[in-house]
Amino acid sequence: KHSDPENSITKRCILFTSAGVVLLYLVAYFILPFKSEFLIPIIPFVVMSIVIYLPKTAIRLLLIGLIFSCFAGGINLIHEYRGISASNLAFIKTIKTEVVAFDLLKGPVIAEQEKRKNQVQFAHKIIEAEKNIQQPTVVISGWWYNYIKSLNTKSNHNVNYVYYEPQSVLVDLKNRGYKIYYLPEQDFWNNKRFKSDFTKDLANPLVLD
């Protein structure tokens, strides 16, 4: 029967469909490589392509391993406010400007929980800093924008957070008397977003205590 999972035609259909999905997501990611999490949807297709050629015992072992891998053996970004700290059993390596660790004690689930905690704490730090701003101000916040908007219950009306802005908008804001700041690393990503190098000429880093 064509519906029999052991049938070679069924296996080829599953394999080709999975390969097509994986290819589409990889192309999309390499065009806009901002978040590796965007590749998560390919995981079930990769697993499905593997298990159709495995015996039942191997499939069980694979599934047990996948569950275990959620809590141990993670590859994590080591960063003060947008990553996590390394455990004593982590192998640390610097890749370009980023510090990455293969951590035996912190798998994806544990790492994600710690990362979100650090990100929320940093967002509160940004919100606390805005209390001292007394004049019209724009803050280029990038990926921190949603954190700030969701956590900031008593916003300072002098402060306007923006995602990213082109050079023409920043020049106009500056001419209208606005102070312009950017959050850590968002000068780089603002430049990258508009494929130019102008952010530091028009904005200053927001000082956080």
Side-chain angles (χ1 to χ4, degrees):
K1 295 179 180 180
H2 289 292
S3 59
D4 187 345
E6 297 298 323
N7 186 281
S8 60
I9 296 177
T10 303
K11 287 182 177 180
R12 284 200 296 271
C13 288
I14 293 173
L15 189 61
F16 291 149
T17 301
S18 298
V21 172
V22 170
L23 181 61
L24 286 173
Y25 272 96
L26 287 175
V27 169
Y29 175 73
F30 285 119
I31 291 174
L32 196 66
F34 285 125
K35 289 286 186 179
S36 59
E37 288 88 343
F38 293 158
L39 294 175
I40 289 176
I42 75 175
I43 294 175
F45 292 95
V46 173
V47 173
M48 187 164 53
S49 300
I50 294 172
V51 299
I52 60 175
Y53 293 103
L54 293 177
K56 289 183 178 180
T57 302
I59 292 173
R60 292 191 184 99
L61 291 174
L62 175 63
L63 294 176
I64 292 171
L66 287 173
I67 294 171
F68 178 76
S69 69
C70 292
F71 302 95
I75 300 175
N76 307 315
L77 173 68
I78 306 303
H79 200 281
E80 180 183 2
Y81 54 82
R82 63 181 178 86
I84 68 171
S85 60
S87 75
N88 294 330
L89 294 180
F91 301 92
I92 299 174
K93 185 175 180 60
T94 300
I95 301 175
K96 293 185 178 179
T97 59
E98 303 286 11
V99 180
V100 178
F102 174 72
D103 203 325
L104 294 175
L105 298 182
K106 294 184 179 181
V109 172
I110 297 171
E112 184 65 19
Q113 184 180 28
E114 183 178 338
K115 181 177 73 172
R116 287 188 178 276
K117 180 181 177 181
N118 290 340
Q119 290 172 337
V120 168
Q121 286 177 343
F122 186 73
H124 280 299
K125 197 173 183 179
I126 297 167
I127 294 167
E128 188 66 24
E130 80 171 32
K131 294 178 180 179
N132 299 321
I133 297 175
Q134 303 297 327
Q135 61 187 104
T137 298
V138 168
V139 180
I140 300 171
S141 50
W143 59 62
W144 296 107
Y145 181 86
N146 289 333
Y147 284 93
I148 295 165
K149 286 296 183 180
S150 62
L151 296 171
N152 197 359
T153 57
K154 297 181 180 179
S155 59
N156 182 343
H157 69 277
N158 290 316
V159 181
N160 297 285
Y161 294 96
V162 296
Y163 190 59
Y164 295 121
E165 293 291 358
Q167 184 174 9
S168 59
V169 172
L170 296 186
V171 169
D172 179 62
L173 289 168
K174 206 170 185 67
N175 290 337
R176 288 161 54 194
Y178 281 82
K179 287 284 187 179
I180 306 175
Y181 296 98
Y182 57 83
L183 296 180
E185 301 178 71
Q186 301 316 305
D187 56 322
F188 171 82
W189 290 108
N190 196 61
N191 289 340
K192 190 175 181 66
R193 166 66 178 81
F194 298 104
K195 299 179 181 179
S196 186
D197 187 7
F198 61 89
T199 307
K200 283 189 174 180
D201 296 330
L202 297 169
N204 295 310
L206 184 67
V207 177
L208 303 172
D209 295 331

